[in-house]
Amino acid sequence: MTEKDEIARDDIPSPSPDLPQYDKTPGLPGVVIVPSDPAAPSAAISSQRQRLSDIFTISAAGFALISDGYFNNLMTMVNVVLKKEYPTDYTPAVSTQVSNALLVGEILGQITIGLTCDYLGRKAAIVITTLMIVVGGILSAAASGYTTLGMFWMLTVARGITGFGVGGEYPASSTSASEAANEHRLEQRGPIFILVTNLPLSFGGPFAVIVFLIVLSAAGATRYSTIWRVCMAVGCVFPLSVFYFRIKMLNSKLYRRGAIKKSVPYGLVLRYYWKDLIGTAGAWFLYDFVTFPNGVFSGTIISSVVPNSDILKTAEYQLLLGAISLPGVFIGAYLCNRIGRKHTMMLGFSGYLVFGLIIGLAYTHLTPITPLFVIFYGLMQSSGNLGPGDMLGLLSSESYATAVRGTCYGFSAAIGKTGAAVGTEVFTPIQNNLGKNWTFIVAAICGVVGVAVTWVFVRDLKGADLAVEDEAFRRYLVREGWRGEMGEEDLKGLAVEGVGEVVGGEEGEGEDARMESEEGKRREVGKEGEA
């Protein structure tokens, strides 16, 4: 990566109507100006249809991701119920197997659907993930077998299918929501993205407990099988409710212009984005290493400090824990444009350090006072939502060009879920060998490492137009000699066609002059903003 690429990508002011916009510049690959509808993305699609698609894409992402958060957190209470129903068969090993099935499916889904949504389009990927979640949820609710162990294996496979769909939602829904918000409300893209991604994911936790309490009250405290099967089936409702709108959605304008559907130069992509990938993937690994096992086993942790391990009391405290963790989502959404994505994420990781040490060092004093323990536990979870929970998805959707956004997002999220799987595997051994308080001390250590990784590897993004990143990436590919096609349908063209008039000459003076001209405009806009 050259110095000029760094300038073009890193030294960009906050969104401004005066910034150069690339998506309607005549001469770029496949750009079509429609005289009767200048805002139209192409001759085949009107501006009104694109605008409605963007709105429904953003809304549908929120509804579907509630189901993702629900399935991610459902095992918190289901683990407690299954342990009550099968006290000898539901061993810690089986519990980990069933819990990790979702994680394994998520890792495969994030990588596969991340590639799919770049190659085939956001719409195709989203439809696939929706179907996988519904099929997996139904099979989970209907899990059976000749033996109890056989039933647990069917539940494991069904949870894996659900996980594939849930994991695929991360790159598919998040990239499409980010690109739609970029067109619909650029200046508020960050907060909008958070409110339709991490908020539903975080709300899925308390929502799972609410559903559990309703089913528990309706079915009775001893009808364990009915309780967990109904809870599994309820998770299918939200993706089904938005399935029609997802079939009708359009790929984003950015995708239709910037997609690379064959001969993707992954070597060049890695050279260009290696530092960003370490930042997003590394921070996501640390975040999920802490938050996922603390979510899955929080019911077990709370049950261990609740007198007589009462299921109803455990569920009520679990609901309190989820409620306390939610405000962090809104605080992160408020701060992301004001102090930047990078500093907001560092602030959240610092919360792991503070509250992890408080709980870990004062564990024996806090656990006898269950409400106080749950409050501090919730504040630690809220810090995670405020920082990495909110920012990782946002950074992963903004740090990469549209052509590889799904792939890089999916890779980063998959590394994160690898951290979740590792965290889930080592959680019980840490408790057994070092003590229950050490799970919180380890969270504090991860917070320190998270701050360091964010500081060194994450760019300080503040919401510039995604088209700016796309154009910088296009120029880089052309400079490195790549001559492939970008875009789809009537917006398709050679990448070189969109980079200056003299690109391809011996020195590439035309491209350099254009870069310097555009950079001068950006600097002038930045100075005017400061004045």
Side-chain angles (χ1 to χ4, degrees), residues 227-279:
I227 293 170
W228 68 262
R229 290 179 188 278
V230 171
C231 287
M232 291 286 186
V234 169
C236 303
V237 173
F238 280 99
L240 279 175
S241 68
V242 296
F243 188 64
Y244 172 79
F245 299 104
R246 293 187 142 188
I247 291 177
K248 294 294 184 180
M249 69 173 277
L250 301 171
N251 285 323
S252 70
K253 183 162 57 177
L254 285 169
Y255 177 81
R256 293 201 303 278
R257 183 184 159 246
I260 301 178
K261 294 200 166 189
K262 58 183 179 180
S263 302
V264 180
Y266 287 115
L268 294 178
V269 172
L270 189 59
R271 282 173 53 193
Y272 195 62
Y273 284 124
W274 68 269
K275 188 174 180 181
D276 297 286
L277 284 169
I278 292 175

Side-chain angles (χ1 to χ4, degrees), residues 49-248:
R49 185 184 174 196
Q50 182 67 58
R51 187 163 54 250
L52 287 173
S53 176
D54 290 341
I55 293 171
F56 282 120
T57 297
I58 294 169
S59 303
F63 272 91
L65 286 170
I66 289 177
S67 184
D68 290 12
Y70 178 86
F71 278 117
N72 271 323
N73 290 275
L74 183 59
M75 289 307 295
T76 299
M77 294 308 304
V78 169
N79 276 331
V80 177
V81 172
L82 289 173
K83 185 63 180 176
K84 292 279 188 181
E85 186 176 5
Y86 305 101
T88 57
D89 295 318
Y90 200 66
T91 63
V94 174
S95 174
T96 302
Q97 169 190 307
V98 174
S99 298
N100 271 1
L102 189 81
L103 288 175
V104 173
E106 283 185 321
I107 293 170
L108 294 175
Q110 285 162 342
I111 294 174
T112 305
I113 300 299
L115 289 166
T116 300
C117 74
D118 283 342
Y119 275 103
L120 300 182
R122 312 314 193 207
K123 176 180 176 177
I126 283 175
V127 170
I128 293 171
T129 60
T130 304
L131 290 173
M132 294 294 281
I133 292 172
V134 173
V135 170
I138 292 171
L139 290 176
S140 297
S144 61
Y146 289 110
T147 64
T148 302
L149 185 60
M151 184 198 70
F152 287 144
W153 272 110
M154 180 175 176
L155 183 60
T156 300
V157 172
R159 291 273 293 170
I161 295 171
T162 306
F164 189 94
V166 168
E169 282 284 344
Y170 280 73
S173 281
S174 298
T175 55
S176 61
S178 179
E179 290 163 6
N182 189 77
E183 301 297 334
H184 191 62
R185 289 289 300 276
L186 172 60
E187 69 283 357
Q188 294 299 322
R189 185 185 67 230
I192 290 173
F193 179 87
I194 291 168
L195 294 179
V196 299
T197 54
N198 195 43
L199 178 60
L201 285 168
S202 301
F203 176 70
F207 177 64
V209 179
I210 291 170
V211 170
F212 176 83
L213 287 170
I214 293 172
V215 176
L216 179 68
S217 300
T222 58
R223 301 183 67 178
Y224 301 122
S225 183
T226 300
I227 293 170
W228 68 262
R229 290 179 188 278
V230 171
C231 287
M232 291 286 186
V234 169
C236 303
V237 173
F238 280 99
L240 279 175
S241 68
V242 296
F243 188 64
Y244 172 79
F245 299 104
R246 293 187 142 188
I247 291 177
K248 294 294 184 180

Side-chain angles (χ1 to χ4, degrees), residues 293-308:
N294 273 290
V296 170
F297 295 113
S298 59
T300 306
I301 294 171
I302 293 173
S303 177
S304 69
V305 301
V306 170
N308 301 319

Side-chain angles (χ1 to χ4, degrees), residues 1-11 272 459:
M1 191 185 308
T2 67
E3 180 181 352
K4 286 185 178 178
D5 282 316
E6 290 287 355
I7 291 175
R9 296 165 70 239
D10 293 341
D11 196 19
Y272 195 62
R459 282 187 280 150

Side-chain angles (χ1 to χ4, degrees), residues 24 32 34 36-54 250-251 253 256 490:
K24 296 299 289 185
V32 179
V34 184
S36 60
D37 190 3
S42 71
I45 299 171
S46 67
S47 60
Q48 182 180 13
R49 185 184 174 196
Q50 182 67 58
R51 187 163 54 250
L52 287 173
S53 176
D54 290 341
L250 301 171
N251 285 323
K253 183 162 57 177
R256 293 201 303 278
D490 58 336

